[in-house]
Every structure is written in structure tokens, then in C-alpha cells.
């Protein structure tokens, strides 16, 4: 499948790279088909990828592995919230959180309260809300990323 994206231009997406969100994502229930993309020039070492909608080519969200900025991230989630993605285990689960990148990069945050949970084997996913209150919607990450960069 070929799509013309706002960020990456025209790209070809193999069928085995399509991730299906049966219920869509929060705020966009009609967007159900996505793929993960990253900037080839920067590679994936910066940690930020894009959850690119295949239903709406102009829609892409920056996402990252929350463990990069919060190594102890381990929200408790009701199993029934994850039922739509199939059987999950340590080898097939991918958890991503959205990244907000404002004009002032020092104010960059991730949303630890609304992670995406992806079953990479079945390419099914859902977005959940972590109810515990332990994880904020706006978790500052700029200083953490800078410290990691300087430590490399």
C-alpha cells in the first residue's frame, strides 16, 4: 500500500507492517490502521518514532518507549482492557507513549497516562488509560534525554 504522508512524503507500507486499533485511539475513534515509522537519517537511537495513520495520511503522532525516560514504568492495567490485542507476553508486547514536542524543546513531555499497547505478533493494538494516578499526562523528558545523550 502506498500513502502520501505529511512528514515522510510518499511511502510504501507492507501489509505485515499495518497495526490495527480495533477501537481507534482516544480522540480519533475512526482511525484504526497505523504503522510505525522513524526518520531514516536519525535512526531509532533517538527513541522517537511516528505512529502514522493509514486512514488519514496527514495524521502522525511522535511516540517512544516509556522505559527510555522512566525505567520503572510499569502501570497496572485491567486484563479486560487488553483483551482486543490477543495474548501478550514479554516477547510480543510493545508499549509506546505519545511525545509532545512544543516550540520550546525544553518543555517536551510524554503522556504516561495513555499508553499504546501493541501485540507485535498479531499487529493488534489498543490505547488505554492508566487510572491509578501514578503516571502524569505531561511527564517532562528534555533533561532526561539530554543526560542520556551526554552519557553516550
Amino acid at each position: 500500500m502506498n500513502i502520501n504522508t505529511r512528514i515522510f512524503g510518499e511511502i510504501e507500507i507492507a501489509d505485515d507492517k499495518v497495526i490495527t486499533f480495533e477501537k481507534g485511539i482516544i480522540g480519533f475513534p475512526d482511525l484504526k490502521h497505523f504503522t510505525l515509522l522513524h526518520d531514516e537519517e536519525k535512526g531509532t537511537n533517538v527513541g522517537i518514532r511516528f505512529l502514522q495513520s493509514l486512514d488519514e495520511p496527514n495524521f502522525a503522532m511522535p511516540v517512544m518507549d516509556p522505559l527510555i525516560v522512566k525505567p520503572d514504568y510499569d502501570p497496572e492495567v485491567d486484563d479486560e482492557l487488553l483483551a482486543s490485542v490477543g495474548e501478550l507476553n514479554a516477547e510480543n508486547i510493545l508499549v509506546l507513549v505519545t511525545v509532545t514536542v512544543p516550540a520550546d524543546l525544553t518543555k517536551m513531555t510524554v503522556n504516561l497516562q495513555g499508553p499504546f499497547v501493541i501485540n507485535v505478533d498479531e499487529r493488534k493494538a489498543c490505547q488505554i488509560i492508566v487510572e491509578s494516578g501514578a503516571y502524569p499526562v505531561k511527564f517532562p523528558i528534555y533533561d532526561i534525554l539530554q543526560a542520556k545523550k551526554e552519557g553516550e
Side-chain angles (χ1 to χ4, degrees):
M1 153 188 333
N2 282 346
I3 63 166
N4 197 8
T5 69
R6 181 176 56 87
I7 297 172
F8 295 96
E10 187 169 331
I11 55 170
E12 185 175 341
I13 306 296
D15 288 345
D16 67 350
K17 299 295 183 195
V18 176
I19 302 165
T20 301
F21 286 78
E22 195 175 284
K23 297 176 181 162
I25 60 174
I26 295 169
F28 303 94
D30 296 335
L31 301 183
K32 299 184 186 297
H33 303 96
F34 290 83
T35 194
L36 277 173
L37 301 173
H38 65 274
D39 188 329
E40 297 280 336
E41 292 173 18
K42 292 181 180 165
T44 54
N45 64 343
V46 291
I48 296 180
R49 296 185 268 179
F50 289 86
L51 191 60
Q52 170 67 55
S53 171
L54 303 180
D55 301 314
E56 174 50 61
N58 287 325
F59 183 85
M61 291 189 304
V63 294
M64 72 185 311
D65 180 338
L67 298 177
I68 292 172
V69 294
K70 183 106 174 94
D72 62 348
Y73 185 70
D74 188 18
E76 284 191 30
V77 178
D78 198 351
D79 287 345
E80 75 181 52
L81 293 175
L82 301 173
S84 66
V85 300
E87 189 77 26
L88 291 170
N89 59 52
E91 282 76 46
N92 74 355
I93 189 172
L94 175 63
V95 176
L96 298 170
V97 292
T98 55
V99 181
T100 300
V101 185
D104 178 356
L105 291 180
T106 65
K107 306 275 190 251
M108 194 175 353
T109 63
V110 291
N111 177 353
L112 296 178
Q113 198 174 69
F116 299 107
V117 179
I118 303 168
N119 178 328
V120 295
D121 292 340
E122 297 187 33
R123 296 183 314 280
K124 291 181 179 178
C126 66
Q127 184 176 19
I128 56 171
I129 298 294
V130 179
E131 300 284 350
S132 69
Y135 297 106
V137 171
K138 293 190 176 287
F139 180 76
I141 63 169
Y142 181 80
D143 290 341
I144 296 168
L145 294 177
Q146 285 302 107
K148 284 185 178 290
K149 195 175 184 181
E150 290 166 13
E152 286 180 356

